Structures are given as structure tokens and as C-alpha cells.
Amino acid sequence: EKSLRIVEKILRTKKMPEVFFSHERLVAGNALSIPWSDGTFDYITGWGILHYNTMKEIEAILKEIIRCLSPGGIFLGTIRAISDTHLRVKEGIAECDSLKGSRVMLFSLEMVKEIFSIFRNLKIGYMERSEPGKLEEKICHWIVEAGG
């Protein structure tokens, strides 16, 4: 909800560069009920958002994504890997300074395959990085390309 309020503020103040919005419009919404018709998009991205939801919410979000994808459309997104040490997750709660107290889930490869099994085509990759000066803190994501 906090992210949605930030996007709404940006939309009201129009502080984003005009070139960013030159051919498109930005709509604030809820991933559990995407405000678009069935089959609207050829591509949908979900970069670093799914793992901040419950499993039930993730399943509902992915169903909404499939609903909004055109035939042959592609979802491209990430979901946190169980090997992540940056968030310092304990009992489903992040303890890192920037997200302290946030609910977060970490996923194994098997879990990712299961969650995304509702898509017809699935390709999975893996990404690991760290912030400069914090090599001991691994930021780990599964990268998912899924066809509706």
C-alpha cells in the first residue's frame, strides 16, 4: 500500500520526466485486481514484488497476470531466492535496515516451479548480487519468464 501511495503522489505531482510518459500512461492499481481487460498486454513485469505477499496473494496475483496477458504474452519477473542473506529473514520478517519488519518469503527452485506451474511455458534463471562494500550480504532472485 505504501508503494501505491508513492505512485499516486508521483502521478499527482507529475515529477517524472515527460519522455517517460510520452506514449504511455501510468495507472496506480492493485495486483490482486488489475484494472485492465482480459488479454490486454503482450508483456507484464513483476520485478521484486511477489515475495512481499502471502502465498495465497501470490497465487491470486499470478492468476490476474495470466488473465491480463494476451495469447502468447509473456510475464517477466523476479522472486527472492532462499539463498538471499541481504534481507536477513527470520520467521518471515525482514531484519535488514531498509525493510525492517516487512513480511517476506524466500523460495527454493522447487517452490518457484510449483508456483509458476499455472503458466504454459516457464523459463527460470538465477541472479545474485551484493551492494558495494557488503559482499557478505547476497541479494538473490529467481528470474522468471512465463508464458500465459
Coordinates of all heavy atoms in Angstrom, one line a residue, residues 74-131:
I74 N 3.9 -12.7 -22.4 CA 5.0 -13.1 -21.5 C 4.9 -12.3 -20.2 O 4.8 -11.1 -20.2 CB 6.3 -12.8 -22.2 CG1 6.5 -13.6 -23.5 CG2 7.5 -13.1 -21.2 CD1 6.6 -15.1 -23.3
F75 N 5.1 -13.0 -19.1 CA 5.4 -12.4 -17.8 C 6.9 -12.5 -17.5 O 7.4 -13.6 -17.6 CB 4.6 -13.1 -16.7 CG 5.0 -12.6 -15.3 CD1 4.7 -11.4 -14.8 CD2 5.8 -13.5 -14.5 CE1 5.1 -11.0 -13.5 CE2 6.2 -13.1 -13.2 CZ 5.8 -11.9 -12.8
L76 N 7.5 -11.4 -17.1 CA 8.9 -11.4 -16.7 C 9.0 -10.8 -15.3 O 8.5 -9.7 -15.1 CB 9.7 -10.6 -17.7 CG 11.2 -10.6 -17.5 CD1 11.8 -12.0 -17.6 CD2 11.9 -9.7 -18.5
G77 N 9.5 -11.6 -14.4 CA 9.6 -11.1 -13.1 C 10.7 -11.8 -12.2 O 11.4 -12.7 -12.7
T78 N 10.8 -11.4 -11.0 CA 11.7 -12.0 -10.1 C 11.0 -12.3 -8.8 O 10.0 -11.8 -8.4 CB 12.9 -11.0 -9.7 OG1 12.4 -9.9 -9.1 CG2 13.7 -10.6 -11.0
I79 N 11.6 -13.3 -8.1 CA 11.1 -13.7 -6.7 C 12.3 -14.1 -5.9 O 13.2 -14.7 -6.4 CB 10.0 -14.8 -6.9 CG1 9.3 -15.0 -5.6 CG2 10.6 -16.1 -7.4 CD1 8.0 -15.7 -5.7
R80 N 12.4 -13.6 -4.7 CA 13.6 -13.9 -3.8 C 13.9 -15.3 -3.6 O 13.0 -16.1 -3.4 CB 13.4 -13.2 -2.4 CG 13.5 -11.7 -2.4 CD 15.0 -11.3 -2.5 NE 14.9 -9.8 -2.5 CZ 15.8 -9.0 -2.0 NH1 16.9 -9.5 -1.4 NH2 15.7 -7.7 -2.0
A81 N 15.2 -15.6 -3.7 CA 15.6 -17.0 -3.6 C 16.0 -17.3 -2.1 O 16.4 -16.3 -1.4 CB 16.9 -17.2 -4.4
I82 N 15.9 -18.5 -1.7 CA 16.1 -18.9 -0.4 C 17.6 -18.7 0.1 O 17.9 -18.5 1.2 CB 15.7 -20.4 -0.2 CG1 15.5 -20.7 1.3 CG2 16.7 -21.3 -0.8 CD1 14.7 -21.9 1.5
S83 N 18.5 -18.5 -0.9 CA 19.9 -18.2 -0.6 C 20.2 -16.8 -0.3 O 21.3 -16.4 0.1 CB 20.8 -18.7 -1.8 OG 20.2 -18.1 -3.0
D84 N 19.2 -15.9 -0.3 CA 19.3 -14.5 0.0 C 19.7 -14.3 1.4 O 19.1 -14.9 2.3 CB 18.0 -13.7 -0.3 CG 18.1 -12.3 -0.1 OD1 18.1 -11.8 1.1 OD2 18.2 -11.6 -1.1
T85 N 20.8 -13.5 1.7 CA 21.2 -13.2 3.0 C 21.0 -11.7 3.3 O 21.1 -11.3 4.5 CB 22.6 -13.6 3.3 OG1 23.5 -12.9 2.4 CG2 22.8 -15.1 3.1
H86 N 20.8 -10.9 2.3 CA 20.7 -9.4 2.5 C 19.5 -9.0 3.4 O 19.6 -8.2 4.2 CB 20.5 -8.8 1.1 CG 20.2 -7.3 1.2 ND1 21.2 -6.4 1.5 CD2 19.1 -6.6 0.9 CE1 20.6 -5.2 1.5 NE2 19.4 -5.3 1.2
L87 N 18.3 -9.6 3.2 CA 17.1 -9.3 3.9 C 17.2 -9.7 5.4 O 16.4 -9.2 6.2 CB 15.9 -9.8 3.2 CG 15.5 -9.2 1.9 CD1 14.3 -9.9 1.3 CD2 15.3 -7.7 2.0
R88 N 18.0 -10.7 5.7 CA 18.1 -11.3 7.0 C 16.8 -11.7 7.5 O 16.3 -11.2 8.5 CB 18.9 -10.3 7.9 CG 20.3 -10.1 7.5 CD 21.1 -9.4 8.6 NE 20.6 -8.1 9.1 CZ 20.8 -6.9 8.6 NH1 21.5 -6.8 7.5 NH2 20.3 -5.8 9.1
V89 N 16.1 -12.6 6.8 CA 14.8 -13.0 7.1 C 14.7 -14.0 8.3 O 15.5 -15.0 8.2 CB 14.1 -13.7 5.9 CG1 12.7 -14.2 6.2 CG2 14.0 -12.6 4.7
K90 N 13.9 -13.7 9.2 CA 13.7 -14.6 10.4 C 12.2 -14.7 10.6 O 11.5 -13.7 10.8 CB 14.4 -14.0 11.6 CG 15.9 -14.1 11.5 CD 16.6 -14.1 12.9 CE 18.0 -14.2 12.7 NZ 18.8 -13.2 13.1
E91 N 11.7 -16.0 10.5 CA 10.3 -16.3 10.6 C 9.4 -15.4 9.7 O 8.4 -14.9 10.2 CB 9.9 -16.1 12.1 CG 10.6 -17.1 13.0 CD 10.2 -17.0 14.5 OE1 9.2 -16.5 14.8 OE2 11.0 -17.5 15.3
G92 N 9.9 -15.2 8.5 CA 9.1 -14.5 7.5 C 9.1 -13.0 7.6 O 8.4 -12.3 6.9
I93 N 10.0 -12.4 8.4 CA 10.1 -11.0 8.6 C 11.5 -10.5 8.3 O 12.5 -11.1 8.8 CB 9.8 -10.6 10.1 CG1 8.4 -11.1 10.5 CG2 9.9 -9.1 10.3 CD1 7.2 -10.4 9.7
A94 N 11.7 -9.5 7.5 CA 13.0 -8.9 7.1 C 13.6 -8.2 8.3 O 12.8 -7.4 9.0 CB 12.9 -8.0 5.9
E95 N 14.9 -8.3 8.5 CA 15.5 -7.6 9.6 C 16.6 -6.6 9.1 O 17.2 -5.9 9.9 CB 16.2 -8.6 10.6 CG 15.1 -9.4 11.3 CD 15.7 -10.2 12.5 OE1 17.0 -10.3 12.6 OE2 14.9 -10.8 13.2
C96 N 16.7 -6.5 7.8 CA 17.7 -5.5 7.2 C 17.1 -4.1 7.5 O 15.9 -3.9 7.6 CB 17.9 -5.8 5.7 SG 16.5 -5.4 4.7
D97 N 18.0 -3.2 7.5 CA 17.6 -1.8 7.9 C 16.5 -1.2 7.0 O 15.6 -0.6 7.4 CB 18.8 -0.9 7.9 CG 19.7 -1.2 9.1 OD1 19.3 -1.8 10.1 OD2 20.9 -0.8 9.0
S98 N 16.7 -1.4 5.6 CA 15.8 -0.7 4.7 C 14.4 -1.3 4.6 O 13.5 -0.6 4.2 CB 16.4 -0.8 3.3 OG 16.6 -2.1 2.9
L99 N 14.2 -2.6 5.1 CA 12.9 -3.2 5.0 C 12.5 -3.8 6.4 O 11.7 -4.7 6.4 CB 12.9 -4.3 3.9 CG 13.0 -3.7 2.5 CD1 13.3 -4.9 1.5 CD2 11.7 -3.0 2.1
K100 N 13.2 -3.4 7.4 CA 13.0 -4.0 8.8 C 11.5 -4.1 9.1 O 10.7 -3.1 9.0 CB 13.6 -3.1 9.8 CG 13.7 -3.8 11.2 CD 14.6 -3.0 12.1 CE 14.9 -3.9 13.3 NZ 16.1 -4.6 13.3
G101 N 11.0 -5.3 9.5 CA 9.7 -5.5 9.9 C 8.7 -5.9 8.7 O 7.6 -6.3 8.9
S102 N 9.2 -5.9 7.5 CA 8.4 -6.2 6.3 C 8.2 -7.7 6.2 O 9.2 -8.5 6.5 CB 9.1 -5.8 5.0 OG 9.1 -4.4 5.0
R103 N 7.1 -8.2 5.8 CA 6.8 -9.6 5.6 C 7.5 -10.0 4.3 O 7.4 -9.2 3.3 CB 5.3 -9.8 5.5 CG 5.0 -11.3 5.2 CD 3.5 -11.5 5.1 NE 3.0 -10.7 3.9 CZ 1.8 -10.2 3.8 NH1 0.9 -10.5 4.8 NH2 1.4 -9.5 2.8
V104 N 8.2 -11.1 4.3 CA 8.9 -11.5 3.0 C 9.0 -13.0 3.0 O 9.1 -13.7 4.1 CB 10.3 -10.8 2.9 CG1 11.2 -11.3 4.0 CG2 10.9 -11.1 1.5
M105 N 8.9 -13.6 1.8 CA 9.0 -15.0 1.7 C 10.2 -15.3 0.8 O 10.5 -14.5 -0.1 CB 7.8 -15.6 1.0 CG 6.5 -15.6 1.9 SD 5.1 -16.3 1.0 CE 5.6 -18.0 1.0
L106 N 11.0 -16.4 1.1 CA 12.1 -16.8 0.3 C 11.8 -18.1 -0.4 O 11.1 -19.0 0.3 CB 13.4 -16.9 1.1 CG 13.8 -15.6 1.8 CD1 15.0 -15.9 2.7 CD2 14.1 -14.5 0.9
F107 N 12.2 -18.4 -1.6 CA 11.8 -19.5 -2.4 C 12.9 -20.4 -2.9 O 13.9 -19.9 -3.4 CB 10.9 -19.0 -3.6 CG 9.7 -18.3 -3.2 CD1 9.7 -17.0 -2.8 CD2 8.5 -19.0 -3.0 CE1 8.5 -16.4 -2.4 CE2 7.3 -18.4 -2.6 CZ 7.3 -17.1 -2.3
S108 N 12.7 -21.7 -2.8 CA 13.6 -22.6 -3.4 C 13.2 -22.8 -4.9 O 12.1 -22.4 -5.3 CB 13.5 -24.0 -2.7 OG 12.2 -24.6 -3.0
L109 N 14.1 -23.4 -5.7 CA 13.8 -23.7 -7.1 C 12.5 -24.5 -7.2 O 11.7 -24.2 -8.1 CB 15.0 -24.3 -7.8 CG 14.8 -24.7 -9.2 CD1 14.4 -23.5 -10.1 CD2 16.0 -25.4 -9.8
E110 N 12.4 -25.5 -6.4 CA 11.2 -26.4 -6.4 C 9.9 -25.6 -6.2 O 8.9 -25.8 -6.8 CB 11.3 -27.5 -5.4 CG 12.4 -28.5 -5.8 CD 13.8 -28.0 -5.5 OE1 14.0 -27.1 -4.6 OE2 14.8 -28.4 -6.1
M111 N 10.0 -24.6 -5.2 CA 8.8 -23.8 -4.9 C 8.4 -22.9 -6.1 O 7.3 -22.7 -6.4 CB 9.1 -23.0 -3.7 CG 9.2 -23.8 -2.4 SD 9.8 -22.8 -1.0 CE 8.4 -21.7 -0.6
V112 N 9.5 -22.3 -6.7 CA 9.2 -21.5 -7.9 C 8.6 -22.3 -9.0 O 7.6 -21.8 -9.6 CB 10.6 -20.8 -8.4 CG1 10.4 -20.0 -9.7 CG2 11.1 -19.9 -7.3
K113 N 9.1 -23.4 -9.3 CA 8.5 -24.3 -10.3 C 7.0 -24.6 -10.0 O 6.1 -24.5 -10.9 CB 9.2 -25.6 -10.5 CG 10.6 -25.5 -11.1 CD 11.3 -26.8 -11.1 CE 12.7 -26.7 -11.8 NZ 13.4 -28.0 -11.7
E114 N 6.7 -24.8 -8.8 CA 5.3 -25.1 -8.4 C 4.4 -23.9 -8.5 O 3.3 -24.0 -9.1 CB 5.3 -25.7 -6.9 CG 3.9 -25.9 -6.4 CD 3.2 -27.0 -7.1 OE1 3.8 -27.9 -7.7 OE2 1.9 -27.0 -7.1
I115 N 4.9 -22.8 -8.0 CA 4.1 -21.5 -8.0 C 3.7 -21.1 -9.5 O 2.6 -20.7 -9.8 CB 4.8 -20.4 -7.3 CG1 4.9 -20.7 -5.8 CG2 4.2 -19.1 -7.6 CD1 6.0 -19.8 -5.2
F116 N 4.7 -21.3 -10.3 CA 4.6 -20.8 -11.7 C 4.1 -21.9 -12.7 O 4.0 -21.7 -13.9 CB 5.9 -20.2 -12.3 CG 6.2 -18.9 -11.7 CD1 6.9 -18.7 -10.5 CD2 5.6 -17.7 -12.2 CE1 7.2 -17.5 -9.9 CE2 5.9 -16.5 -11.7 CZ 6.6 -16.4 -10.5
S117 N 3.7 -23.1 -12.1 CA 3.2 -24.2 -12.9 C 1.9 -23.9 -13.6 O 1.5 -24.6 -14.5 CB 3.1 -25.5 -12.1 OG 2.1 -25.3 -11.1
I118 N 1.2 -22.8 -13.2 CA 0.0 -22.4 -13.9 C 0.2 -21.8 -15.2 O -0.7 -21.6 -16.0 CB -0.9 -21.5 -13.0 CG1 -0.2 -20.1 -12.7 CG2 -1.3 -22.2 -11.7 CD1 -1.0 -19.1 -12.0
F119 N 1.4 -21.5 -15.5 CA 1.8 -20.9 -16.9 C 2.1 -22.1 -17.8 O 2.6 -23.1 -17.4 CB 3.0 -20.0 -16.8 CG 2.7 -18.7 -16.1 CD1 2.7 -18.5 -14.8 CD2 2.4 -17.6 -16.9 CE1 2.4 -17.3 -14.1 CE2 2.1 -16.3 -16.3 CZ 2.1 -16.2 -14.9
R120 N 1.9 -21.9 -19.1 CA 2.1 -22.9 -20.1 C 3.6 -23.1 -20.3 O 4.1 -24.2 -20.4 CB 1.4 -22.7 -21.4 CG 0.0 -23.1 -21.3 CD -0.7 -22.9 -22.7 NE -1.6 -21.8 -22.5 CZ -1.8 -20.8 -23.4 NH1 -1.1 -20.9 -24.5 NH2 -2.6 -19.9 -23.1
N121 N 4.3 -22.0 -20.4 CA 5.8 -22.0 -20.7 C 6.5 -21.4 -19.6 O 6.1 -20.3 -19.2 CB 6.1 -21.3 -22.1 CG 5.4 -21.9 -23.2 OD1 5.5 -23.1 -23.4 ND2 4.6 -21.1 -24.0
L122 N 7.6 -22.0 -19.1 CA 8.3 -21.4 -18.0 C 9.8 -21.6 -18.2 O 10.3 -22.7 -18.5 CB 7.9 -22.2 -16.7 CG 8.6 -21.7 -15.4 CD1 8.3 -20.3 -15.1 CD2 8.1 -22.6 -14.3
K123 N 10.5 -20.5 -18.0 CA 12.0 -20.5 -18.0 C 12.4 -19.8 -16.8 O 11.9 -18.7 -16.4 CB 12.5 -19.7 -19.2 CG 12.2 -20.3 -20.6 CD 12.7 -19.4 -21.7 CE 12.3 -20.0 -23.1 NZ 12.7 -19.0 -24.1
I124 N 13.4 -20.4 -16.1 CA 13.8 -19.9 -14.8 C 15.3 -19.6 -14.9 O 16.1 -20.5 -15.3 CB 13.5 -20.8 -13.7 CG1 12.0 -21.1 -13.6 CG2 14.0 -20.3 -12.3 CD1 11.6 -22.2 -12.6
G125 N 15.8 -18.5 -14.4 CA 17.2 -18.1 -14.2 C 17.4 -17.7 -12.8 O 16.5 -17.7 -11.9
Y126 N 18.7 -17.4 -12.5 CA 19.1 -17.0 -11.1 C 20.0 -15.9 -11.2 O 20.9 -15.8 -12.1 CB 19.7 -18.2 -10.5 CG 20.2 -18.0 -9.1 CD1 19.4 -18.0 -8.0 CD2 21.6 -17.7 -8.9 CE1 19.8 -17.8 -6.7 CE2 22.1 -17.5 -7.6 CZ 21.2 -17.5 -6.5 OH 21.6 -17.3 -5.2
M127 N 19.8 -14.9 -10.3 CA 20.7 -13.7 -10.2 C 21.1 -13.5 -8.7 O 20.3 -13.6 -7.8 CB 19.9 -12.5 -10.7 CG 20.5 -11.2 -10.4 SD 19.5 -9.8 -11.1 CE 17.9 -10.0 -10.2
E128 N 22.4 -13.3 -8.6 CA 22.9 -13.0 -7.2 C 23.8 -11.8 -7.3 O 24.7 -11.7 -8.2 CB 23.7 -14.2 -6.8 CG 24.3 -14.1 -5.4 CD 25.0 -15.3 -4.9 OE1 24.3 -16.4 -4.8 OE2 26.2 -15.3 -4.7
R129 N 23.7 -10.8 -6.4 CA 24.5 -9.6 -6.4 C 24.7 -9.2 -5.0 O 24.1 -9.7 -4.0 CB 23.8 -8.5 -7.2 CG 22.5 -8.1 -6.7 CD 21.8 -7.0 -7.6 NE 20.5 -6.7 -7.2 CZ 20.2 -5.7 -6.4 NH1 21.1 -5.0 -5.9 NH2 18.9 -5.5 -6.0
S130 N 25.5 -8.1 -4.8 CA 25.6 -7.5 -3.5 C 25.8 -6.0 -3.7 O 26.1 -5.5 -4.7 CB 26.8 -8.1 -2.7 OG 28.0 -7.8 -3.4
E131 N 25.5 -5.3 -2.6 CA 25.8 -3.8 -2.6 C 27.3 -3.6 -2.4 O 27.9 -4.4 -1.8 CB 25.0 -3.2 -1.5 CG 23.5 -3.3 -1.6 CD 22.8 -2.6 -0.5 OE1 23.4 -2.0 0.4 OE2 21.5 -2.6 -0.5

